[in-house]
Amino acid sequence: MFRYIEFCGEKLAMFSFFTGMGIAAAAFLIFFQLKRMQVSAELENQVMPAIPLTFLFGVIGGVVADIILRGGIKALINNPFGYGLTFYGWLIGGIFFLFGYSRICALKYDHLLNLFLPSFAIAQALGRIGCFLGGCCYGVPAKIFGVSYPAGSLPYIHHGSTPLVPVQLYESAYLVVIFIILFYLIRFKYRSAWYLILVPTGRFILEFFRNDDRGLLVSNILSPSQIISIILFAIGTFWLIKTKFKEKNHVRCRQ
């Protein structure tokens, strides 16, 4: 496990490195789609500022969500530097920003979601590799195909040299598959809905194989991510049905 790399004489955490790579890859994909769709220069100029701002608000949402799930303001005061970034907080923060941005710039909200959300899959896939190398988001003890973490890492502190399920890599592989499906098999207008269906489905299942501290939300029966996954899955399903219904009505009107 490589927790750090040397960069210009300084140590850079692998989680930060791969998260940065993921954000850069997602930004490139959004820009690439705009060019491939041959949108007008005016529309491109409207959308481009949203790329860095979406990721910025996503990071803010991810940190705020982690603080909320780990004890709120009181815990923040007691341990102001003991927090990380949760992906679902990052996702929700980005979605809310895009909603506000669409209203301010008079852009179609569903179009922005279809443009942005699929690229988040590859960003998260790279981020999960950073989680694996950094030793966070680790899995339960494994019967087969387990990974042992070195002394000093968070998994070692809790489990010693016991082999653990490399759940981070499983989720990364799943997200790559989702990315391929969304970009090559799903029509553009349905991509955000299917993203909100497929990502939470895999996350809900894989959460059963995680053994790190994920905070508490409502109940200890399901993890916070599983509860949020159910909500996002319901939203995605509703969004897909609504989009298909609108398309059918549009076809009927043309007939």
Side-chain angles (χ1 to χ4, degrees), residues 47-113:
V47 174
M48 288 298 291
I51 298 176
L53 290 173
T54 298
F55 294 122
L56 174 61
F57 276 84
V59 170
I60 294 172
V63 174
V64 170
D66 198 47
I67 292 172
I68 292 172
L69 295 175
R70 297 181 188 276
I73 299 298
K74 183 178 180 180
L76 177 62
I77 294 173
N78 293 332
N79 186 18
F81 301 105
Y83 298 91
L85 184 151
T86 67
F87 174 74
Y88 271 157
W90 187 84
L91 174 63
I92 293 170
I95 287 175
F96 271 103
F97 168 76
L98 288 174
F99 177 78
Y101 192 81
S102 68
R103 293 296 181 268
I104 294 172
C105 297
L107 297 171
K108 291 183 178 179
Y109 182 49
D110 57 346
H111 183 82
L112 285 179
L113 289 183

Side-chain angles (χ1 to χ4, degrees), residues 74-241:
K74 183 178 180 180
L76 177 62
I77 294 173
N78 293 332
N79 186 18
F81 301 105
Y83 298 91
L85 184 151
T86 67
F87 174 74
Y88 271 157
W90 187 84
L91 174 63
I92 293 170
I95 287 175
F96 271 103
F97 168 76
L98 288 174
F99 177 78
Y101 192 81
S102 68
R103 293 296 181 268
I104 294 172
C105 297
L107 297 171
K108 291 183 178 179
Y109 182 49
D110 57 346
H111 183 82
L112 285 179
L113 289 183
N114 289 321
L115 183 64
F116 277 74
L117 290 193
S119 68
F120 289 1
I122 202 66
Q124 190 186 4
L126 288 168
R128 277 292 179 244
I129 296 175
C131 290
F132 173 75
L133 294 173
C136 64
C137 308
Y138 53 87
V140 298
K143 295 181 179 179
I144 57 173
F145 304 123
V147 176
S148 295
Y149 286 84
S153 64
L154 189 61
Y156 187 90
I157 293 172
H158 291 93
H159 295 280
S161 59
T162 301
L164 305 178
V165 174
V167 65
Q168 312 97 318
L169 298 183
Y170 292 154
E171 185 170 6
S172 180
Y174 177 73
L175 289 163
V176 170
V177 172
I178 289 178
F179 165 74
I180 294 171
I181 290 173
L182 291 176
F183 273 87
Y184 294 101
L185 299 179
I186 304 296
R187 290 171 60 188
F188 181 81
K189 65 170 63 178
Y190 299 129
R191 287 179 179 176
S192 60
W194 275 111
Y195 174 90
L196 292 174
I197 292 172
L198 294 173
V199 169
T201 298
R203 182 62 176 270
F204 184 90
I205 296 171
L206 289 169
E207 280 288 305
F208 288 112
F209 299 93
R210 284 181 60 173
N211 201 35
D212 58 318
D213 178 22
R214 286 154 287 167
L216 181 66
L217 181 64
V218 181
S219 169
N220 58 4
I221 298 175
L222 296 175
S223 73
S225 290
Q226 287 177 316
I227 294 172
I228 297 172
S229 291
I230 293 172
I231 296 171
L232 292 179
F233 179 89
I235 293 173
T237 302
F238 171 78
W239 192 277
L240 181 63
I241 294 172

